[in-house]
């Protein structure tokens, strides 16, 4: 991976650390990284979770998809451990959806920090 992506990934990891306490986070591209740093608004990332002692908690890992639809920036955030858990779509506002059907649902109990993370990511990318 080109070094040019490191500030971007570090910024996202810091946002995750702030919003998803008490864990620590590392980000990496899922699959091929974008060609340039300017293309990060159309990519998929893995958010890997560790505790304060550095022990991995893969059951808390997240997948973050960043994409543009027209001029709008959209995010999809989902847990990798259970494909039955709701996913968060975040455009101009957050929408929680059943992962299997895409139908709207209520925000899960642990959803507020994930919404905060999406707001921070959108602000970083704006």
């Amino acid at each position: 991976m080109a070094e040019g992506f490191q500030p971007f990934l570090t910024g996202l990891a810091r946002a995750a650390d702030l919003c998803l306490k008490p864990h620590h986070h590392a980000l990496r591209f899922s699959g091929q990284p974008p060609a340039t740093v300017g293309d990060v608004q159309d990519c998929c990332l893995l958010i890997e979770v560790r505790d304060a002692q550095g022990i991995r908690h893969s059951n808390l890992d997240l997948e973050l998809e960043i994409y543009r639809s027209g001029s709008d920036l959209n995010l999809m955030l989902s847990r990798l451990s259970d494909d039955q858990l709701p996913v968060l779509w975040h455009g101009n506002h957050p929408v929680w959806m059943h992962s299997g059907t895409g139908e709207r649902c209520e925000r899960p109990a642990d959803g507020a920090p994930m919404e905060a993370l999406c707001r921070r990511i959108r602000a970083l990318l704006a």
Side-chain angles (χ1 to χ4, degrees):
M1 177 178 58
E3 288 183 26
F5 288 110
Q6 199 54 50
F8 168 72
L9 296 175
T10 300
L12 294 182
R14 285 184 181 146
D17 289 351
L18 180 65
C19 295
L20 305 174
K21 292 180 181 179
H23 298 100
H24 299 282
H25 303 83
L27 282 91
R28 64 181 173 90
F29 289 102
S30 174
Q32 233 6 57
T36 68
V37 175
D39 295 331
V40 296
Q41 294 182 5
D42 190 15
C43 64
C44 190
L45 298 127
L46 297 177
I47 302 175
E48 297 177 337
V49 180
R50 294 184 184 277
D51 64 20
Q53 290 73 40
I55 298 168
R56 285 275 290 120
H57 291 274
S58 58
N59 61 315
L60 299 176
D61 287 354
L62 300 168
E63 181 178 63
L64 171 65
E65 183 180 351
I66 303 170
Y67 63 96
R68 285 216 172 265
S69 178
S71 62
D72 295 329
L73 180 67
N74 298 287
L75 307 175
M76 289 286 290
L77 190 61
S78 57
R79 292 214 184 270
L80 292 174
S81 63
D82 186 347
D83 59 2
Q84 297 302 309
L85 292 173
V87 298
L88 172 60
W89 171 86
H90 202 292
N92 293 326
H93 60 278
V95 176
W96 287 94
M97 301 179 295
H98 290 284
S99 58
T101 65
E103 294 177 10
R104 285 183 86 144
C105 65
E106 293 295 316
R107 176 173 71 187
D110 64 348
M114 293 172 70
E115 290 177 14
L117 175 59
C118 284
R119 285 190 301 273
R120 285 198 175 272
I121 292 170
R122 285 177 53 85
L124 287 170
L125 295 174

